[in-house]
Structures are given as structure tokens and as C-alpha cells.
Amino acid sequence: MSFSFIDLRPMNRSATHTVTEFVLLGFPGCSEIQISLFSLFLVIYVLTLLGNGAIICAVRWDPRLHTPMYFLLGNFAFLEIWYVSSTVPNMLANILSKTKTISFSGCFLQFYFFFSLGTTECLFLAIMAYDRYLAICHPLHYPTIMTGKLCGMLVSLCWLIGFLGYPIPIFFISQLPFCGPNVIDHFLCDMDPLMALSCAPAPITELIFYTQSSLVLFFTIMYILRSYTLLLRAVFQVPSAAGRKKAFSTCGSHLAVVSLFYGTVMVMYVSPTHGIPTLMQKILTLVYSTMTPLFNPLIYSLRNKDMKLALRSILLRMKINENS
């Protein structure tokens, strides 16, 4: 799909100079620090791709994992690959670049995909909480409610809502006059740095964007907390100590991911960021955009007994195919 025909530059040409590209400063430091950061982020990116890719392969090829929970996990792993890929490859190229520039259209396309994929992740976390709630609180009705058709519909809705929610507000932001300077003190194109570079204030556009982001975060986190509250209440009623331990382990893992992702995101996009140092904003963004996709395979799936058996089975099959 080509975007070469899209011109996202502002329509307002009254300014003496129109910005055609932005400079992403990234992380500060000398060349040795930059090389260390490049190596670190490259390792994180490769491990993220391998971990989430392994989950997708296991869910796809092992019949034992053809269940609603693993179907959702496989799709979530696919989402995580795209989410981390919306920022890290450009960040790696930016570290090695001398100019550290990104085109106007490229900046807003990254802005769009980053927020759309982030919104989709929030919705996925809510659906996965719903799946766990049904499995533990209504085990007898779970197979009839959580059918393959319903899973497919829920996953499709996550992607549709995530990608249809931001084109209009981001388009209007792109039409604001950007007449210089063009330096963004961040490693990606984000809302606050872009609005700070606009030559004209746009309080209504800003309000709509932050209201939309806050509503998505608020409703999904409230639904997740409600689901796990009911789930934990049901766990306490389990007579078996082993059953309670297994359920607590699952809930604890899921809540760890939710806390890590939502905690950093809400600091960035719900609470005011004016008092937060720029470096801290970068670190917080790095946590939810890069570290959570890395940790999710470990927390959600690779600790899972069925997933580990499936991965061993795939590796064994690959070795047999190599030897034959």
C-alpha cells in the first residue's frame, strides 16, 4: 500500500516558512552511549519479535492451543509485533543518523499507527480479562459463550475501533500551521511535542484528542478491574488450594501486564505532563511502547505449561525435519 499520494502538510500557506520535516532528538549522550543504546534497543526488538513470533507459531501449529484463550493470545502477540515495530525501527535508524530527521508525512503516519495500535492493545487487554472472567466464574457456560465466531468478532472489533478512532483528529492536527522550529525532543512523534511546535493554538482539537484517549483508557481499565474483582471473588471460593494457587498465578500475571501498561500510559496521557522532565517522559513512553511487548510473552504465555509443551513440540519437529 503506497502513501505517496498523501500530502499531510498544512493547508495554511500564509506562514513564511512551512515545516517539511521534523528532527527527533531521541536520547542524549555521546557516540559511545548512542552505540550502547542502539545495541540495547536492537536486542530488545529482536527478542520481542522472537518471543511474540514463537507464540503465534505455537498457537497456529499446535492443535492443543486451538482454544479461545490461546486464539486471543496469538492475536495479541501479532498486535505486539506491530506495536513495537511502529516505533523501534525508526528509533534505531535515528540513533545512527546524523541528521535525525523524519518527514512530515512520516511523522504523522507514525503518530497515527502508534496511537491506533495502542488503543487496540487497550481493547485486547479488556477482552482477555473478559475471557478469563468467563473461564473461571462461568466454566460450564464458557464453551457455549466464548465460541470461535465470537472470538473472531471481538478481535475484529478491536482492530476496527482502534484504527477508525484517530484518523480524523490526527488529520486536523496535521493541518495546523507548523512554521518552525521543527525539533522534537523525543524519540517518536507524540501529541504534546507536536502541539508545542504548532504556530497556532488548537484547544478544541487538543481537548477532543485527550478526551478520546482518556475515555478509552478509563473504560477499558475499569472493565478490567471489575472483571478481575469478580474473578478473584470466585477464586476465594475454590475449595482446592492448588486450584486457588493456579488461578492466582494467572490473575497475578495478567494484572502485572495491565499495571505496567496502564500505569505508564495514564501518567503520559491522562495526568498533566508539564511538570515531568523530558527524559522521564521518554523513559515512560519507552516502558509501555517497548518493554511491555517484550515482557508479555514471558508473563502471559511462556510461563504457561501448555504453551511450553507446544513450543518444545515445534522445536522437536523442526529438528526432525532438519535431520531427515
Side-chain angles (χ1 to χ4, degrees), residues 131-205:
D131 174 73
R132 291 298 82 210
Y133 161 73
L134 283 179
I136 294 176
C137 296
H138 302 284
L140 297 178
H141 300 288
Y142 179 74
T144 56
I145 297 174
M146 208 65 178
T147 60
K149 184 178 179 181
L150 179 62
C151 283
M153 287 176 58
L154 291 173
V155 168
S156 299
L157 278 173
C158 285
W159 286 99
L160 283 172
I161 294 170
F163 275 81
L164 293 179
Y166 285 99
I168 293 175
I170 289 179
F171 173 77
F172 279 114
I173 294 169
S174 73
Q175 298 308 305
L176 294 172
F178 292 90
C179 47
N182 66 338
V183 178
I184 297 175
D185 192 4
H186 213 315
F187 62 86
L188 54 77
C189 295
D190 206 354
M191 179 65 178
D192 282 344
L194 283 170
M195 293 305 296
L197 294 181
S198 173
C199 303
I204 295 175
T205 304

Side-chain angles (χ1 to χ4, degrees), residues 2-17:
S2 174
F3 291 99
S4 59
F5 62 92
I6 299 177
D7 185 8
L8 288 175
R9 289 174 294 178
M11 294 177 183
N12 185 353
R13 305 295 181 192
S14 60
T16 57
H17 174 68

Side-chain angles (χ1 to χ4, degrees), residues 249-271:
S249 176
T250 303
C251 296
S253 300
H254 292 196
L255 285 173
V257 173
V258 170
S259 301
L260 184 65
F261 179 78
Y262 276 95
T264 51
V265 168
M266 293 182 88
V267 169
M268 286 298 298
Y269 299 110
V270 177
S271 62

Side-chain angles (χ1 to χ4, degrees), residues 24-36:
L24 294 172
L25 293 182
F27 289 93
C30 60
S31 58
E32 288 80 8
I33 293 175
Q34 294 297 309
I35 292 170
S36 299

Side-chain angles (χ1 to χ4, degrees), residues 11-118:
M11 294 177 183
N12 185 353
R13 305 295 181 192
S14 60
T16 57
H17 174 68
T18 301
V19 169
T20 57
E21 61 183 18
F22 294 101
V23 177
L24 294 172
L25 293 182
F27 289 93
C30 60
S31 58
E32 288 80 8
I33 293 175
Q34 294 297 309
I35 292 170
S36 299
L37 288 173
F38 177 85
S39 303
L40 175 64
F41 295 145
L42 180 61
V43 169
I44 289 172
Y45 184 55
V46 171
L47 289 176
T48 303
L49 296 183
L50 289 174
N52 287 288
I55 291 171
I56 295 169
C57 292
V59 172
R60 175 70 180 84
W61 291 333
D62 196 309
R64 291 171 296 184
L65 302 186
H66 293 174
T67 63
M69 182 181 81
Y70 292 110
F71 175 77
L72 293 175
L73 282 173
N75 278 274
F76 188 66
F78 178 74
L79 166 65
E80 292 292 62
I81 288 174
W82 282 103
Y83 188 46
V84 75
S85 297
S86 69
T87 57
V88 175
N90 184 74
M91 180 170 61
L92 292 173
N94 187 65
I95 290 173
L96 297 179
S97 171
K98 291 183 179 179
T99 59
K100 300 186 181 297
T101 58
I102 183 171
S103 68
F104 191 94
S105 297
C107 183
F108 276 93
L109 283 173
Q110 184 192 58
F111 185 24
Y112 168 68
F113 280 110
F114 181 64
F115 271 86
S116 297
L117 290 164

